[in-house]
Amino acid sequence: MESTDESEDNLRESRQSPEVDQDFVAPPQRVSQIDSVTYSSFLRSLDDEHLIEHINSCSQSKDHSQITASIHDSKLIASSPRTNRVERQLSLDEHNFSSVSTDPFDDDLDSQLLGASTPTRATANPNDDSADAYPDDEQNNTVGEIHAFGDYATYFRTKHLKQQKEDEEYIKWDLKRRAQLNGGRAVAVKPIFEGCIVYVNGHTNPSINEIHRLIIVHSGKFISYLSNKGAATHIICDRLTPKKKVEYRNYKVVRAQWVVDCVASNELLDWTQYRLISEIEYGQKRLQFGDSPTRHSGSDSVTPSNESDSELANSMADNNEDPLLEELEDDFIEPIEPSGSNDVGSKGEKKIMDAKHPEFLKHFFANSRLHHLSMWKADLKLRFLRRIVKENKSGETKRTSQGIRVIFHVDFDCFFATASCLNRPELDINKDPIAVTHGGKSSDVASCNYVARNFGVKNGMWVSQAKKLCPNLIMLDYDYKRYESYSSEFYNYFLSYDIFDSIFPVSIDEVLIDASSHFAQNEENLVDMVNALSTRIRDDIFKFTKCSVSVGVSRNVMLAKLALRKAKPNGQFFLYEGVDEFLDSISVKSLPGIGRSIQERLADVLNQPKTMDIYIRDLKAFSKTKLISILGDKTGVKLYEYARGIDDTSLVIDTSNPEALLGRKSVSVDVNFGIRFDTVSELDDFLIRIAKELYSRLISLGVCGSNLTLKLAKRAPGAAVNPAKYLGMGYCDFVNKSSHLGVPTNDWGIIGSELKALYRMVNVPVKELRGISISLTKLRDVENLKSSKQMKLPFKKTKELVRTEFGAFSKLKPIDSIQIESGSKRKSNIAEGNVNISGYHDYFNKESEIDWEVLDALPWDLRREIQKELERRGMIPVSPSKAPPGTKAYLQQLIPTQIGSTPKYVRVFEKPQLKSPRKRQKLHSKSPSPNKQVMVGESQFYDCSVINELPLNIKAEVLKDMKYRKKVKEFDMTALKDKVSMKYEKSKAMVDEVSSEWISQQRTILQRPKFLNEKVSVHQVKLQLDKWIQSSLIQKGPHVDDVHVFASYLKDLSKQNVNSSMILINHIWKVLKYHESILAMSVLVESDEVMYMKEGIAEWKSSIDVHLLPIVDSDFDI
DNA sequence: AGAGATTCAGAGC
DNA sequence: ATCGCTCTGAATCTCT
Ligand SMILES: [Mn+2]
Ligand SMILES: [Mn+2]
């Protein structure tokens, strides 16, 4: 019925506005032969993504002469059921038997049906668990022999494997049950859903179980996942995340109520009345964009399930009283494009500081408040972790389990505003309305004081709006250095106490303190003591920083946070008694970890407007089960307990396992500002820069990772090309792609190439890019990796000593760019090896997930059309004039990562692996300049295809032979060597660049030696140096990065004490002499190790000359 | 009935 | 102009 109409509607509509939904564009109707004009215009009408889908879908057709027809069909199958005729025969009324409590499904269908189809549903008891996926036990009563078919719990658990069979059994069982209830007579169940294949996504009301039951009982088919796309005819879903919305565009996505209503009315109702994704919604404005400082994060769009689209549009237009909406609209105003200015003037346009600028990252991060906040936080967490490790406090938990906890939460009042204000003596933070911001009209208010807040100004607001609310708002600049120094005072203050069980940094301006044991003995005057300490803290911090802090205290973290909220500004509050009354009037959103999403989901259930506050007293009406069904397992329980003042969040810093000692699980670099590219080449450059940024962070953290994720923000359809915020990201969809590197690495070259490859696997045109994030996970400690590699070497490292180093110098421990050699055999991937050298990727403007095998298998005429279209779009390089390029090999070579998803690289970087020095030494000895390090095997191409094999196949004696040289020449070693050294030079230059950036980062840390009272003795440094020298000698000398870092350390040290620097350099010299003398005595005359070490010593000496001595500069002589 | 991948949401100013 | 980061834990998906 409606399905056919629907497709035609879509066809019609898409002809009118081809941009809206191209999935239903009609392919040519001709079947027997290809009308290339029609077909190519069809191809042309598809956007990139759909074009690729189309190509790949061709594989489903065996008969290529009918390809267009098949394509047509497969599209339609995906979007409409082909056989959904409904039998109109009468059957038993559903209500007559559906409410039997012995139904193993028992979900009280009656009340479902009644409640759902009447308005009174809205006022239903929030504790109504009838639709829960967590039926109470007592509902699973037996029903005699019928139970022999198995209870539904078991049935459901195994459904993934035996679903169909089980479904049949359930239907039989159900019929039997119905018959039984009907006095033994057989019952006909109307096959309402015949032909429907249904998939349920996410939480629904009624529950997935219930939908499953209703569907199969009425002859529909239920599938558990969408692995085979297109299999489902309907998707049942009540809440769609943006990602899913895109994914499900081609399906009929209906609300769960559709199923209920169908059953209630006993016929297949028009699904479009229940659709969750409206036709015109795609590409339209979406709500929820103006209210949070992190507007870009998470879901920008949420389907307005209760509003029609026109309402949505109207609300956008009408609601001008809400300044947030106004701001939102700004985002969709298309400014006059200075057309052409982007493309021309390739030389002199370096003025714009966007991501094309080589210095952009540096500039951006130097100014980004969120970047600073994140980095500060990470740094603090690491410092406190190391503090615990060093003092061997095992998480700092003296406290025993009994007794009341006393948690302090201390936080600066509007930190940035207060701190920045201190630079402006003429201003009064208590009288003048003040905000910290970059100043432009679409600039964010990072922090505003309480005077400004009285005008309605809020953090995260744009200046234009804040000015409207408070025309006299005074805007101050950021002053990150100042913030750091106040924070340092703040933390050092708390570290000066020794009464605390635990000090837990929350952020630059905020700390949680467990003081339980301090108050454990005297409970009688607990309140007075706590208040006294709170006052003292506030007074002291103010004395040190002239900034006001507030203090909240209570028996757990959540309550302390709420107490702090009440205390602000410039106050203190000990929430001790009357917790329940206190909680009642707290709004849910102000609970930690509870944000807008949860608030809205609750509002939905309570049938309140989304924006209306929900208070904890409202929450108490919900049972735990109900909350779990709404919010999920953990969150449901958490909220349930929060509502009762329960929170067992621990302030213990975890040091219990190696992963915890790493201090983090991921390292990432996000840039969602200033991302504007015109060509893929520009993007590639940026990807390399961002990879280097990641690399430098990895180096200073001493970690490697093996899983890389690229997250792209793509301008949303309908969003302005230039958002209201200058260089902002505007309104975006997000695309993730991640890859297993196979082995841990920190190598920016590898990361960079992989990023390029990842970009080419998604379908985001360069010009649409608005944000780029990269993230490395599955982290490993470099020291661990190194030591595991060095086990079989004479100089064995003890990682523990290094591990427990703490303070400034711990960041300076010698760190090699990690070198790992994959033991597993992998495919030789020549194309990959060419990435950096030939630059083949410049041919691409777009990328794809095109299945080349499918394309290659197509008949010639079809393939030609598709290839023409791909070329036209720049998605494949223009064919060489001579031959049709359609050979598989050729195309695969172009997309190297297509070949096998199993990787990929051998991660060998910068230095030859110790494992097999022999081979490299021999190769190296052929180099015309033996003193210069040649980094072999930087890419797997060289490493695996040629070099690795040599030493295994050729004996040492033979190596000296002329035959060897001949043999080597047969391998074209000269050309290879040239390439290698070329690449080496290039990468060395880039490493230098990186390390200088890195060093500049390090310096800021070193400039605060007082912080955390960490001092490193010269003796410790010497020990460290010994280890460094020893480990590096067999690698032919120190790593350039390490030298630079050490040099920068020396530089700082020299400022305080030149003598210490000289002592250290002298020490290095002595150690080198020591090793030299050992070598001289060595019996092994020509062993490779000896040669390596000699070379290493030479390299060390030159490093001293070049890098270290100039620092102490004077007439210092060794 | 759990592992691994992906996605979301929330936090700080 | 404008500097819309970064990490975590939970939920959800997919597959076995
Ligand atoms: Mn604060
Ligand atoms: Mn804070």
Side-chain angles (χ1 to χ4, degrees), chain A residues 201 227 294-295 368 371 374 440-443 664 668 670 672 725:
Chain A
N201 176 276
S227 52
T294 55
R295 60 176 60 199
S368 161
H371 170 76
S374 294
K441 111 181 174 54
S442 65
S443 174
R664 54 168 70 217
S668 43
D670 296 28
N672 291 302
K725 189 194 277 288

Coordinates of all heavy atoms in Angstrom, one line a residue, chain A residues 201 227 294-295 368 371 374 440-443 664 668 670 672 725, chain C:
Chain A
N201 N 16.2 -0.2 17.3 CA 17.4 0.5 17.7 C 17.2 1.3 19.0 O 16.3 2.1 19.1 CB 17.8 1.4 16.6 CG 19.1 2.2 16.9 OD1 19.0 3.3 17.6 ND2 20.2 1.8 16.5
S227 N 23.5 -5.9 10.1 CA 24.8 -6.2 9.4 C 24.7 -6.2 7.9 O 25.5 -5.6 7.2 CB 25.4 -7.5 9.9 OG 24.4 -8.5 9.7
T294 N 30.2 24.1 25.0 CA 30.8 23.1 24.1 C 29.7 22.7 23.1 O 29.4 21.6 22.9 CB 31.2 21.9 24.9 OG1 30.1 21.4 25.6 CG2 32.3 22.2 25.8
R295 N 29.2 23.7 22.4 CA 28.2 23.4 21.5 C 28.5 22.5 20.4 O 27.7 21.8 19.8 CB 27.7 24.7 20.8 CG 28.9 25.3 20.1 CD 28.5 26.6 19.4 NE 28.0 27.5 20.3 CZ 27.2 28.6 20.0 NH1 26.9 28.7 18.7 NH2 26.8 29.4 20.9
S368 N 44.0 29.2 22.8 CA 42.8 28.5 23.1 C 42.6 28.2 24.5 O 43.4 27.6 25.2 CB 42.8 27.2 22.3 OG 41.8 26.3 22.9
H371 N 42.0 24.5 25.2 CA 43.3 23.7 25.1 C 44.1 23.9 26.4 O 44.6 22.9 27.0 CB 44.1 24.3 23.9 CG 45.5 23.8 23.9 ND1 45.8 22.5 23.5 CD2 46.7 24.3 24.3 CE1 47.2 22.3 23.6 NE2 47.7 23.4 24.1
S374 N 42.5 21.9 29.2 CA 42.8 20.4 29.1 C 44.2 20.1 29.4 O 44.5 19.0 30.1 CB 42.4 20.0 27.6 OG 41.1 20.1 27.4
G440 N 35.7 39.6 20.1 CA 34.9 39.8 18.9 C 33.4 39.6 19.2 O 33.1 39.1 20.3
K441 N 32.6 39.8 18.3 CA 31.1 39.7 18.6 C 30.7 38.2 18.7 O 29.8 37.9 19.5 CB 30.3 40.5 17.6 CG 29.5 39.8 16.6 CD 28.8 40.8 15.7 CE 28.0 40.1 14.6 NZ 27.0 39.1 15.0
S442 N 31.4 37.4 18.0 CA 31.0 36.0 18.1 C 32.1 35.2 18.9 O 32.2 34.0 18.9 CB 30.9 35.3 16.7 OG 32.1 35.4 16.1
S443 N 32.8 36.0 19.7 CA 33.8 35.4 20.6 C 33.1 34.8 21.8 O 32.1 35.4 22.3 CB 34.8 36.4 21.0 OG 35.7 35.9 21.9
R664 N 47.0 7.9 31.7 CA 46.0 8.2 30.7 C 45.8 7.0 29.7 O 46.6 6.1 29.7 CB 46.4 9.4 29.9 CG 47.8 9.2 29.2 CD 48.0 10.3 28.2 NE 48.2 11.6 28.8 CZ 47.7 12.7 28.3 NH1 47.1 12.7 27.2 NH2 47.9 13.9 28.8
S668 N 45.2 12.9 22.4 CA 44.6 13.4 21.1 C 44.9 14.8 20.9 O 45.2 15.6 21.8 CB 43.1 13.1 21.1 OG 42.5 13.3 22.4
D670 N 42.9 17.9 18.9 CA 41.6 18.3 18.3 C 41.7 19.7 17.7 O 42.2 20.6 18.4 CB 40.4 18.3 19.3 CG 40.1 16.9 19.8 OD1 41.1 16.1 19.9 OD2 39.0 16.7 20.2
N672 N 39.0 22.2 15.8 CA 37.7 22.4 15.2 C 37.6 23.9 15.0 O 36.5 24.5 15.1 CB 36.6 21.9 16.1 CG 36.6 20.4 16.1 OD1 36.5 19.7 15.1 ND2 36.8 19.8 17.3
K725 N 30.5 32.4 13.5 CA 31.8 32.6 14.1 C 32.9 32.5 13.1 O 33.1 31.5 12.4 CB 32.0 31.6 15.2 CG 33.3 31.8 16.1 CD 33.6 30.6 17.0 CE 32.8 30.6 18.2 NZ 33.2 31.6 19.2
Chain C
dA1 P 38.7 42.2 17.0 OP1 37.8 42.7 18.0 OP2 39.7 41.1 17.5 O5' 37.8 41.5 15.8 C5' 37.8 40.3 15.7 C4' 36.7 39.7 15.0 O4' 36.9 39.8 13.6 C3' 36.5 38.2 15.3 O3' 35.2 37.8 15.1 C2' 37.4 37.6 14.2 C1' 37.1 38.5 13.0 N9 38.3 38.6 12.1 C8 38.3 38.2 10.8 N7 39.5 38.4 10.2 C5 40.2 39.0 11.2 C6 41.5 39.5 11.3 N6 42.4 39.5 10.2 N1 42.0 40.0 12.4 C2 41.2 40.0 13.5 N3 39.9 39.6 13.6 C4 39.5 39.1 12.4
dT2 P 34.5 37.4 16.4 OP1 33.1 36.9 16.0 OP2 34.6 38.5 17.4 O5' 35.3 36.1 17.0 C5' 35.3 34.9 16.3 C4' 36.6 34.2 16.5 O4' 37.7 34.8 15.9 C3' 37.0 34.1 18.0 O3' 36.4 33.0 18.6 C2' 38.5 33.9 17.9 C1' 38.9 34.4 16.5 N1 39.7 35.6 16.5 C2 39.5 36.7 17.3 O2 38.5 36.7 18.1 N3 40.3 37.8 17.1 C4 41.4 37.9 16.3 O4 42.1 38.9 16.2 C5 41.6 36.7 15.5 C7 42.7 36.7 14.5 C6 40.8 35.6 15.6
dC3 P 36.6 32.6 20.1 OP1 35.5 31.8 20.5 OP2 36.9 33.9 20.8 O5' 37.9 31.8 20.1 C5' 38.0 30.5 19.4 C4' 39.4 30.0 19.3 O4' 40.2 31.0 18.5 C3' 40.1 30.0 20.6 O3' 40.1 28.7 21.2 C2' 41.6 30.3 20.3 C1' 41.5 30.9 18.9 N1 42.0 32.3 18.8 C2 43.1 32.5 17.9 O2 43.6 31.6 17.3 N3 43.6 33.7 17.8 C4 43.0 34.7 18.4 N4 43.5 36.0 18.3 C5 41.9 34.5 19.3 C6 41.5 33.3 19.5
dG4 P 39.1 28.3 22.2 OP1 38.7 29.5 23.0 OP2 39.6 27.1 22.9 O5' 37.9 27.9 21.3 C5' 38.0 26.9 20.4 C4' 36.8 26.0 20.4 O4' 35.7 26.7 19.8 C3' 36.9 24.7 19.5 O3' 37.6 23.7 20.3 C2' 35.4 24.4 19.3 C1' 34.7 25.7 19.4 N9 34.1 26.2 18.1 C8 34.8 26.2 16.9 N7 34.0 26.7 16.0 C5 32.8 27.0 16.6 C6 31.6 27.6 16.1 O6 31.4 27.9 15.0 N1 30.7 27.7 17.1 C2 30.8 27.3 18.4 N2 29.8 27.6 19.2 N3 31.9 26.8 18.9 C4 32.9 26.7 17.9
dC5 P 38.4 22.7 19.5 OP1 39.2 23.2 18.4 OP2 37.5 21.5 19.2 O5' 39.4 22.2 20.6 C5' 40.4 23.1 21.0 C4' 41.2 22.5 22.2 O4' 40.3 22.5 23.3 C3' 41.6 21.1 21.9 O3' 42.9 21.0 22.6 C2' 40.5 20.3 22.6 C1' 40.1 21.2 23.8 N1 38.6 21.1 24.1 C2 38.3 20.8 25.4 O2 39.1 20.5 26.2 N3 36.9 20.8 25.7 C4 36.0 21.1 24.8 N4 34.7 21.1 25.2 C5 36.4 21.5 23.5 C6 37.7 21.5 23.2
dT6 P 43.8 19.8 22.2 OP1 45.2 20.1 22.6 OP2 43.5 19.3 20.9 O5' 43.3 18.6 23.2 C5' 43.6 18.7 24.6 C4' 42.8 17.7 25.4 O4' 41.4 18.1 25.3 C3' 42.9 16.3 24.9 O3' 43.5 15.5 25.9 C2' 41.4 15.9 24.7 C1' 40.7 16.9 25.5 N1 39.3 17.1 25.2 C2 38.4 17.2 26.3 O2 38.7 17.0 27.4 N3 37.1 17.5 25.9 C4 36.6 17.7 24.7 O4 35.4 17.9 24.5 C5 37.6 17.6 23.6 C7 37.1 17.8 22.2 C6 38.9 17.3 23.9
dC7 P 44.1 14.1 25.6 OP1 45.5 14.2 25.7 OP2 43.5 13.5 24.3 O5' 43.5 13.2 26.8 C5' 43.4 13.8 28.1 C4' 42.2 13.3 28.7 O4' 41.0 13.9 28.1 C3' 41.9 11.8 28.6 O3' 42.2 11.2 29.8 C2' 40.4 11.7 28.2 C1' 39.9 13.1 28.3 N1 38.9 13.4 27.3 C2 37.6 13.8 27.7 O2 37.4 13.9 28.9 N3 36.7 14.1 26.7 C4 37.0 14.1 25.4 N4 36.1 14.4 24.5 C5 38.3 13.7 25.0 C6 39.2 13.4 26.0
dT8 P 42.0 9.6 30.0 OP1 42.9 9.3 31.1 OP2 42.1 8.9 28.7 O5' 40.5 9.5 30.5 C5' 40.1 10.2 31.6 C4' 38.6 9.9 31.9 O4' 37.9 10.5 30.8 C3' 38.3 8.4 31.8 O3' 37.8 8.0 33.1 C2' 37.3 8.2 30.7 C1' 36.8 9.6 30.4 N1 36.5 10.0 29.0 C2 35.3 10.5 28.7 O2 34.4 10.6 29.5 N3 35.1 10.8 27.3 C4 36.1 10.6 26.3 O4 35.8 10.9 25.2 C5 37.3 10.1 26.8 C7 38.4 9.9 25.8 C6 37.5 9.8 28.1
dG9 P 37.6 6.5 33.4 OP1 38.0 6.4 34.8 OP2 38.3 5.6 32.4 O5' 36.1 6.3 33.3 C5' 35.2 7.2 34.0 C4' 33.8 7.0 33.5 O4' 33.7 7.4 32.1 C3' 33.4 5.5 33.5 O3' 32.1 5.5 34.0 C2' 33.5 5.1 32.0 C1' 33.2 6.4 31.3 N9 33.7 6.6 30.0 C8 35.0 6.2 29.5 N7 35.2 6.6 28.3 C5 34.0 7.2 27.9 C6 33.6 7.8 26.7 O6 34.3 7.9 25.6 N1 32.4 8.3 26.7 C2 31.5 8.3 27.8 N2 30.3 8.9 27.7 N3 31.9 7.8 29.0 C4 33.1 7.2 28.9
dA10 P 31.4 4.2 34.3 OP1 30.9 4.3 35.6 OP2 32.2 3.0 33.8 O5' 30.2 4.2 33.3 C5' 29.4 5.4 33.2 C4' 28.6 5.4 31.9 O4' 29.4 5.6 30.8 C3' 27.8 4.1 31.7 O3' 26.5 4.4 31.6 C2' 28.5 3.5 30.4 C1' 29.0 4.7 29.7 N9 30.2 4.5 28.9 C8 31.4 3.9 29.3 N7 32.3 3.9 28.3 C5 31.7 4.5 27.3 C6 32.1 4.8 26.0 N6 33.3 4.4 25.5 N1 31.3 5.4 25.2 C2 30.0 5.8 25.6 N3 29.5 5.6 26.8 C4 30.4 4.9 27.6
dA11 P 25.4 3.2 31.3 OP1 24.2 3.7 32.0 OP2 26.0 1.9 31.6 O5' 25.2 3.4 29.8 C5' 24.8 4.6 29.2 C4' 24.7 4.5 27.7 O4' 26.0 4.3 27.1 C3' 23.8 3.3 27.3 O3' 22.9 3.8 26.3 C2' 24.9 2.3 26.7 C1' 25.9 3.2 26.2 N9 27.3 2.7 26.2 C8 27.9 2.1 27.3 N7 29.2 1.7 27.0 C5 29.4 2.2 25.7 C6 30.5 2.1 24.8 N6 31.6 1.5 25.1 N1 30.3 2.6 23.6 C2 29.2 3.2 23.3 N3 28.1 3.3 24.0 C4 28.2 2.8 25.2
dT12 P 21.8 3.0 25.7 OP1 20.7 3.9 25.4 OP2 21.6 1.8 26.5 O5' 22.5 2.5 24.3 C5' 23.1 3.5 23.5 C4' 23.8 2.7 22.4 O4' 25.1 2.2 22.8 C3' 23.1 1.5 21.8 O3' 22.9 1.8 20.4 C2' 24.0 0.3 22.1 C1' 25.3 1.0 22.2 N1 26.4 0.4 23.0 C2 27.7 0.3 22.4 O2 27.9 0.7 21.3 N3 28.6 -0.3 23.2 C4 28.4 -0.8 24.4 O4 29.4 -1.3 25.0 C5 27.1 -0.7 25.0 C7 26.8 -1.2 26.3 C6 26.2 -0.1 24.2
dC13 P 22.1 0.8 19.5 OP1 21.4 1.7 18.5 OP2 21.4 -0.2 20.3 O5' 23.3 0.1 18.8 C5' 24.2 0.9 18.0 C4' 25.3 0.0 17.5 O4' 26.1 -0.5 18.6 C3' 24.8 -1.2 16.7 O3' 25.5 -1.2 15.5 C2' 25.2 -2.4 17.6 C1' 26.4 -1.8 18.3 N1 26.8 -2.4 19.7 C2 28.1 -2.8 19.9 O2 28.9 -2.7 19.0 N3 28.4 -3.3 21.1 C4 27.5 -3.4 22.1 N4 27.9 -3.9 23.2 C5 26.2 -3.0 21.9 C6 25.8 -2.5 20.6
dT14 P 25.1 -2.2 14.4 OP1 25.4 -1.6 13.1 OP2 23.7 -2.8 14.7 O5' 26.1 -3.4 14.6 C5' 27.5 -3.2 14.3 C4' 28.2 -4.5 14.6 O4' 28.3 -4.7 16.0 C3' 27.5 -5.7 14.0 O3' 28.4 -6.3 13.1 C2' 27.2 -6.6 15.2 C1' 28.2 -6.1 16.3 N1 27.8 -6.2 17.7 C2 28.8 -6.6 18.6 O2 30.0 -6.9 18.2 N3 28.4 -6.7 19.9 C4 27.2 -6.4 20.4 O4 26.9 -6.6 21.6 C5 26.2 -6.0 19.4 C7 24.8 -5.7 19.8 C6 26.6 -5.9 18.1
dC15 P 28.1 -7.5 12.2 OP1 28.8 -7.4 11.0 OP2 26.6 -7.7 12.2 O5' 28.7 -8.7 13.1 C5' 30.1 -8.6 13.4 C4' 30.4 -9.6 14.5 O4' 29.7 -9.2 15.7 C3' 29.9 -11.0 14.2 O3' 31.0 -11.9 14.1 C2' 29.0 -11.4 15.4 C1' 29.4 -10.4 16.4 N1 28.4 -10.1 17.4 C2 28.8 -10.2 18.8 O2 29.9 -10.5 19.1 N3 27.8 -10.0 19.7 C4 26.6 -9.7 19.3 N4 25.7 -9.4 20.3 C5 26.2 -9.6 18.0 C6 27.1 -9.8 17.1
dT16 P 30.9 -13.3 13.5 OP1 32.0 -13.5 12.6 OP2 29.5 -13.6 13.2 O5' 31.2 -14.2 14.8 C5' 32.3 -13.8 15.7 C4' 32.1 -14.5 17.0 O4' 31.0 -13.8 17.8 C3' 31.7 -16.0 16.9 O3' 32.6 -16.7 17.6 C2' 30.3 -16.0 17.6 C1' 30.4 -14.8 18.5 N1 29.0 -14.3 18.9 C2 28.8 -14.0 20.2 O2 29.6 -14.2 21.1 N3 27.5 -13.5 20.4 C4 26.5 -13.2 19.5 O4 25.5 -12.8 19.8 C5 26.9 -13.6 18.1 C7 25.9 -13.4 17.1 C6 28.1 -14.1 17.9

